[in-house]
Amino acid sequence: MAAQLDYLTLKEIFRRFHEVEPEPKGELDHTNAYTLVVAVALSAQATDVGVNKATKALFKIADTPEKMLALGEEGLIEHIKTIGLYRNKAKNVIKLSRILVEQYGGEVPSSRAALQSLPGVGRKTANVVLNMWWGVPAQAVDTHIFRIGNRTGICPGKDVDAVERAIEDNIPAEYQHHAHHWLILHGRYVCKARKPNCPACLIRDLCPFDEKTL
């Protein structure tokens, strides 16, 4: 685990991220808050590409909790059976859809506690929805962020909660909203797990990672 980088170094890192991509976007396709919740819930242990393929047709016929309930669990399974853990995910999507209808008038709540009370929605999923739909600077820590946070010293921590706190405590406030998107994209396409593409890294000179690739 690398030591936490100092404030000025972090500011320069995120200035560069911002310069290259001022408005980074999540890669899960969605049309409203509900389809975002469903897409993120389905993405656990699955790729965004795989989820998008499955939801392309699904969201055309079930883009509200009411329509999802009308489709039913078996109908949902037919759309998402290419995704890992699809049976359990289908159960959770139907359950959360029923709760949204019965307790929230079919609307997605905007509080983390309410979101996390939904079946299949953990803190990471709740943070994605808060950030992408409600504009809250919540930090959704996935495997990419956990890896590069510790590899680079941007946001080191022994677990995802510690990494989340490191982002909130150390990254300059003006970059908080998009921080997790910049980090996810950097981890997904540049600072990869097995062979990081260090020659293409825009923060290579600021990164303390000892095993930089040539």
Side-chain angles (χ1 to χ4, degrees):
M1 181 190 299
Q4 175 69 61
L5 296 176
D6 64 83
Y7 178 82
L8 290 178
T9 301
L10 287 172
K11 189 166 186 176
E12 174 59 17
I13 285 172
F14 283 91
R15 185 198 67 77
R16 294 182 191 181
F17 284 152
H18 178 269
E19 184 176 49
V20 172
E21 184 61 73
E23 294 288 332
K25 304 293 183 184
E27 296 184 318
L28 283 171
D29 294 337
H30 61 283
T31 58
N32 54 30
Y34 173 71
T35 54
L36 178 58
V37 170
V38 172
V40 180
L42 293 177
S43 72
Q45 299 181 46
T47 66
D48 288 359
V49 172
V51 172
N52 289 340
K53 286 181 180 178
T55 58
K56 184 176 181 179
L58 173 65
F59 290 158
K60 289 180 180 178
I61 61 172
D63 61 352
T64 68
E66 294 86 355
K67 291 178 183 177
M68 191 67 76
L69 291 174
L71 178 63
E73 187 174 321
E74 290 305 314
L76 172 56
I77 284 174
E78 285 302 307
H79 286 277
I80 67 169
K81 59 186 178 182
T82 56
I83 301 174
L85 308 175
Y86 66 90
R87 290 193 181 278
N88 189 54
K89 289 176 180 179
K91 284 184 173 63
N92 284 334
V93 168
I94 294 299
K95 287 179 182 177
L96 74 82
S97 298
R98 185 169 291 112
I99 291 172
L100 290 177
V101 170
E102 294 177 352
Q103 298 183 23
Y104 298 98
E107 299 296 324
V108 174
S110 59
S111 82
R112 180 183 284 116
L115 286 166
Q116 285 189 245
S117 73
L118 299 173
V121 177
R123 186 178 180 89
K124 185 181 79 170
T125 298
N127 282 350
V128 171
V129 176
L130 289 172
N131 184 291
M132 291 181 63
W133 194 259
W134 301 110
V136 177
Q139 309 302 331
V141 178
D142 70 351
T143 55
H144 296 299
I145 295 179
F146 185 80
R147 178 180 69 255
I148 70 171
N150 283 292
R151 177 184 279 172
T152 66
I154 291 175
C155 46
K158 293 182 179 180
D159 53 42
V160 293
D161 291 337
V163 170
E164 183 180 331
R165 288 194 299 273
I167 296 174
E168 294 174 344
D169 292 346
N170 297 291
I171 292 174
E174 64 264 37
Y175 299 120
Q176 287 275 332
H177 183 207
H178 292 311
H180 91 274
H181 277 132
W182 282 314
L183 292 172
I184 287 172
L185 295 172
H186 190 63
R188 185 173 290 169
Y189 298 112
V190 181
C191 197
K192 301 174 185 179
R194 293 187 179 181
K195 191 176 180 182
N197 188 9
C198 297
C201 178
L202 77 166
I203 61 168
R204 177 173 178 160
D205 58 313
L206 302 174
C207 174
F209 183 49
D210 291 331
E211 300 172 36
K212 290 189 177 78
T213 55
L214 297 176

